[in-house]
Amino acid sequence: MFSFLSRLSATASVAFAALALPAVAMAQTPVDLIIRDARVVDVKTGQVAPDRAVIISGDTIVAVIADDDVAAAYSAAKSVDVDGRWVMPGLWDNHVHFGGAGFEEENADLMPLYVLNGVTGVRDAAGDLAQTVLDWRAAPPRAIGPNLFTSGPKIEGIAPVWKGVIETGSEADVDAALDRLQALGVDFVKITDNTLKPELFLYAVREAKTRGMKTSGHIPMSLTVLEAAEAGLSTIEHLNYLMKAGSRDEAAISADYLAGKYSYAQTMARYAETFDPAVALSVYRRLAELGVMASPTQHGSSTLAWLDRDDHSHDPELAYIGPGIRGTYGWRVERAAQATPEMIAARHFVEATTLKTLPILREAGVRILAGTDAGFLNSFNYPGFSLHSELELYVANGLTPRDALEASIINGPALLGKSDRFGAVAEGKAADLVVLDADPLVDVSNTRRINTVVRAGRVLDRPALDALDADIRERVKAHEADMASKPAN
């Protein structure tokens, strides 16, 4: 009996040893990149996890683990120690414009400029280079650039002021436009109000929704904001429409405008004069119920509102913008310069009233979609740089830093149905990261303090970012020299 038990004990010992052996001799999993000693920012919860390691294979995060556990689990072709810095998902600018026919190369140079500023995703809201941008989505024009999502050409009425649009004058035209946009595989549909009939605006929104397409719009003055939202609009672009929706007399003021009684600027001032926070809250709560997002693009509007005060001729950001795109700024600058003192005062009043909508939107539960309107035509609204200003403006007017970050990093992917891939530093998410020298949840301006950017698993440390910075500025100088060499028309 003793002998049998001895043999059983020995056999069990060998068996247990065999079971334990693989754990002792387990090989490390090879990966491409490990970010060590990181403080990982969870934008959704507003929490920061210290002493983390972010494990990356290709363009995807495969794990986020305790830094102490790295050696036993992974080996990497490249390891970057960020010395306790803050690591968060790359920023998204959810309303930009590429445009200016003939300035395609200058527009292409904006792609690395976004990455330089930690912006790893952009939503192009239409311009006159729609097919070019669609081509870039499939084949990026520069070695580094953000994820690109685009509306393609926008839907408009007949003979609008905007170039590169799809003109529609009937339901059949709208159907054909949506057929075309679906064939192009656009990420959303942009619908604007320059000459588009209001009934066609609503038809386009409804039909696009029926087809499962997201819609983005400028709401015709003859419609209330809620009419457009009830039709199924996904996002309202520009905060002034939200201010309009908070007017006690929105419909009546719109009717006066359509009857030619007031100019556009006078009409906006009337909306501001009749803005009622209680009315706004009621409307915004309905927008939240409908799931409509709001993209303020307020930095651009604020810049234009204060052109009478601010001299932008020495802005350091001008060094990053090609001369052709800079030239398109003149249109809005000249219009602003024609304003009388009374018109300027009204412009300031409208701007101040519009900014009051931000905390009300937050209270109502409307998801804000951080976007800047940066690109051609929009004066001194510098791609990449302006997103930081946009986020700072949100916080200065009632949002928290976490709210502002969520508007960029989480709501952008959510709108486009990309939340499974973007919006967090987590397993399965894209390896698009920004490493910051200070906590953005404490001060949102810390998004400017960029130490390193990871784009699709590619590391751009501070020296690499400095080299990218220099390359962009050299390209601008080359464009300037090329323009100077051409004879004047």
Side-chain angles (χ1 to χ4, degrees), residues 422-459:
F422 302 100
V425 183
E427 180 182 349
K429 303 292 188 182
D432 292 337
L433 307 170
V434 182
V435 181
L436 302 172
D437 285 333
D439 189 348
L441 294 168
V442 172
D443 184 345
V444 79
S445 65
N446 287 333
T447 58
R448 297 180 184 272
R449 298 181 61 182
I450 298 171
N451 175 271
T452 299
V453 175
V454 179
R455 170 69 182 101
R458 176 182 171 185
V459 177

Side-chain angles (χ1 to χ4, degrees), residues 68-93:
D68 288 344
D69 296 338
V70 168
Y74 294 97
S75 62
K78 183 178 181 66
S79 182
V80 177
D81 191 327
V82 298
D83 297 321
R85 291 183 172 88
W86 287 259
V87 176
M88 71 175 191
L91 295 161
W92 280 38
D93 189 334

Side-chain angles (χ1 to χ4, degrees), residues 4-275:
F4 170 78
L5 291 175
S6 297
R7 289 196 304 273
L8 180 61
S9 177
T11 302
S13 298
V14 172
F16 284 123
L19 287 172
L21 184 60
V24 174
M26 183 182 293
Q28 294 173 314
T29 301
V31 294
D32 297 307
L33 173 66
I34 301 177
I35 307 295
R36 301 289 308 270
D37 190 18
R39 298 183 188 183
V40 171
V41 178
D42 186 332
V43 174
K44 188 65 177 176
T45 65
Q47 301 299 309
V48 176
D51 304 316
R52 299 285 96 186
V54 183
I55 317 299
I56 296 168
S57 184
D59 63 357
T60 301
I61 298 170
V62 298
V64 179
I65 64 174
D67 196 71
D68 288 344
D69 296 338
V70 168
Y74 294 97
S75 62
K78 183 178 181 66
S79 182
V80 177
D81 191 327
V82 298
D83 297 321
R85 291 183 172 88
W86 287 259
V87 176
M88 71 175 191
L91 295 161
W92 280 38
D93 189 334
N94 297 288
H95 188 125
V96 308
H97 293 285
F98 297 100
F103 306 130
E104 287 83 354
E105 289 301 304
E106 291 186 21
N107 278 271
D109 291 340
L110 301 180
M111 302 292 271
L113 183 59
Y114 280 112
V115 175
L116 179 67
N117 281 277
V119 178
T120 59
V122 297
R123 185 177 70 113
D124 168 59
D128 60 355
L129 297 177
Q131 187 56 56
T132 298
V133 176
L134 284 162
D135 293 342
W136 287 349
R137 190 180 61 173
R142 297 289 181 260
I144 194 77
N147 293 287
L148 175 59
F149 304 92
T150 182
S151 67
K154 63 187 176 183
I155 294 176
E156 251 293 356
I158 303 300
V161 67
W162 307 114
K163 298 177 181 178
V165 306
I166 305 176
E167 297 185 21
T168 61
S170 67
E171 290 184 1
D173 288 347
V174 172
D175 291 340
L178 291 172
D179 288 344
R180 177 182 167 189
L181 293 171
Q182 281 190 302
L184 290 171
V186 299
D187 299 294
F188 66 103
V189 178
K190 179 78 177 288
I191 312 168
T192 55
D193 63 335
N194 183 227
T195 62
L196 185 64
K197 298 174 184 176
E199 62 270 21
L200 289 183
F201 180 94
L202 294 176
Y203 178 80
V205 171
R206 292 190 185 107
E207 181 61 23
K209 183 178 180 180
T210 297
R211 297 178 184 219
M213 305 172 80
K214 298 286 188 177
T215 50
S216 158
H218 296 185
I219 300 167
M221 196 70 82
S222 55
L223 298 174
T224 66
V225 169
L226 271 185
E227 285 177 307
E230 297 281 1
L233 193 65
S234 304
T235 68
I236 296 169
E237 308 296 331
H238 314 302
L239 201 59
N240 57 352
Y241 290 103
L242 278 304
M243 187 273 285
K244 170 183 180 291
S247 166
R248 293 186 300 273
D249 303 318
E250 180 188 8
I253 293 170
S254 294
D256 285 345
Y257 172 77
L258 291 170
K261 294 181 180 180
Y262 298 94
S263 69
Y264 179 83
Q266 289 171 328
T267 300
M268 294 307 298
R270 293 185 71 203
Y271 288 134
E273 289 164 359
T274 57
F275 180 81

Side-chain angles (χ1 to χ4, degrees), residues 234-237 239 242 292-296 361 366-370:
S234 304
T235 68
I236 296 169
E237 308 296 331
L239 201 59
L242 278 304
V292 180
M293 292 193 189
S295 185
L361 287 165
V366 175
R367 298 184 74 173
I368 294 172
L369 194 66

